[in-house]
Amino acid sequence: MGFVDRYFLDPIRYGTGYNIVNTLFYAAVLGLLVLLTIRLFRRLEIKLDGRFYSFFIPFVLLGSSLRVLRDMDVITSNLFKTPGIYALIYVLLLGSILLGLLLRRYAGIPYHYLPLAVGWIGLVWALREVVGLGPKPGPLLIALAISAAIVASVYYILRRAGHSFLDDKVNLGVLSAHMLDASATFLGISSYGLVAQHVFPKAIIGATHPAVMYPLKLAVVLPAIYYLGELEDRTAMDIVKAILLTLGLAPGARDILMVMVVA
């Protein structure tokens, strides 16, 4: 129990961030969850199309908003800290999808209607609570402007080089999400006194500068989405892309909301 407390429970209780042990453990759990989700979605014949993302993105933003409310003590349960918030949103999302599939089977209602309603209702409520904290729009506008400029530049350079994989809307969304995350990290650390909590970014930023997140993310994200396009398993490719989107959008939205609140 001392080991569990030190590496898993205490970082959640006291907000000390990640360590190498829980980082590797959570990465292994994420990998297993991805494999199980691929098998489940393939069996249920769920396509990750526009209808899926119409409710998936609100769920991701809901998780980010709830995390901010926990950080600001509007919500007090540690379930809303990482990794609990990811588990909570995943269960809520999957449960809504399964119930939606039952409604489609027995009532003829399109399956995405239920998760769409749950995701948007939850997000509107959470954002209303965040607005009550008095966030300032300036940091968001700056982060979006920087992100858009980098994404547009990368898109132009790749198109000139003969690469068109960013024409895919999901690929473009993944890159945009990670640039937002990099911008939120850059602004939060360099201008508002926030600190990185993840092990590897914290070490790299400590040795260099918060702006290092831009080239670092580009070096990881661009090859990832390029080579995912080579996969023959469409379901696996789509789910991994959705995970990559989540890994950028969830912390990026949470961080920029926090910056807006503390600004």
Side-chain angles (χ1 to χ4, degrees):
M1 288 304 297
F3 177 86
V4 173
D5 283 336
R6 179 180 178 184
Y7 291 105
F8 293 93
L9 299 182
D10 285 348
I12 297 174
R13 291 174 182 141
Y14 307 120
T16 55
Y18 294 85
N19 53 68
I20 189 64
V21 175
N22 63 19
T23 296
L24 293 176
F25 177 79
Y26 295 148
V29 171
L30 176 61
L32 177 61
L33 190 62
V34 169
L35 294 176
L36 293 175
T37 303
I38 290 172
R39 295 186 61 181
L40 178 62
F41 276 39
R42 186 183 293 126
R43 183 169 183 175
L44 296 175
E45 298 181 349
I46 297 175
K47 295 181 179 180
L48 277 67
D49 51 14
R51 294 191 303 177
F52 174 83
Y53 280 101
S54 69
F55 62 79
F56 179 74
I57 292 177
F59 269 98
V60 175
L61 296 177
L62 170 60
S64 301
S65 302
L66 291 174
R67 177 62 197 275
V68 171
L69 293 176
R70 176 61 188 90
D71 290 338
M72 300 304 296
D73 292 323
V74 176
I75 298 173
T76 58
S77 173
N78 284 334
L79 176 63
F80 293 89
K81 289 186 176 182
T82 306
I85 187 61
Y86 281 99
L88 177 64
I89 294 299
Y90 180 81
V91 170
L92 185 61
L93 171 64
L94 185 58
S96 299
I97 291 174
L98 295 177
L99 289 176
L101 291 173
L102 288 176
L103 286 176
R104 184 181 68 180
R105 180 175 181 179
Y106 294 108
I109 301 174
Y111 93 94
H112 69 289
Y113 281 11
L114 181 61
L116 187 67
V118 173
W120 277 104
I121 291 173
L123 177 59
V124 169
W125 174 85
L127 287 178
R128 186 187 67 177
E129 296 298 312
V130 172
V131 168
L133 297 172
K136 298 176 179 62
L140 175 61
L141 296 177
I142 295 172
L144 290 177
I146 296 174
S147 302
I150 294 176
V151 170
S153 299
V154 171
Y155 178 85
Y156 176 77
I157 293 171
L158 289 177
R159 287 292 288 171
R160 292 283 292 178
H163 299 290
S164 60
F165 61 93
L166 286 183
D167 288 347
D168 182 278
K169 292 181 180 179
V170 177
N171 289 345
L172 190 63
V174 170
L175 177 61
S176 300
H178 281 274
M179 289 303 97
L180 174 63
D181 186 26
S183 296
T185 300
F186 170 71
L187 289 174
I189 295 176
S190 62
S191 301
Y192 296 98
L194 301 180
V195 295
Q197 291 193 336
H198 292 276
V199 173
F200 299 114
K202 185 176 182 179
I204 295 173
I205 291 172
T208 55
H209 188 273
V212 75
M213 292 303 297
Y214 291 110
L216 182 63
K217 279 185 170 288
L218 288 173
V220 174
V221 173
L222 288 176
I225 55 180
Y226 175 80
Y227 286 108
L228 279 173
E230 304 296 318
L231 290 180
E232 296 182 2
D233 189 332
R234 180 76 185 185
T235 302
M237 179 189 70
D238 288 344
I239 289 178
V240 174
K241 283 185 181 181
I243 295 297
L244 284 177
L245 177 66
T246 303
L247 293 176
L249 184 58
R254 177 255 178 176
D255 290 347
I256 197 60
L257 285 173
M258 278 297 298
V259 172
M260 292 168 68
V261 169
V262 302

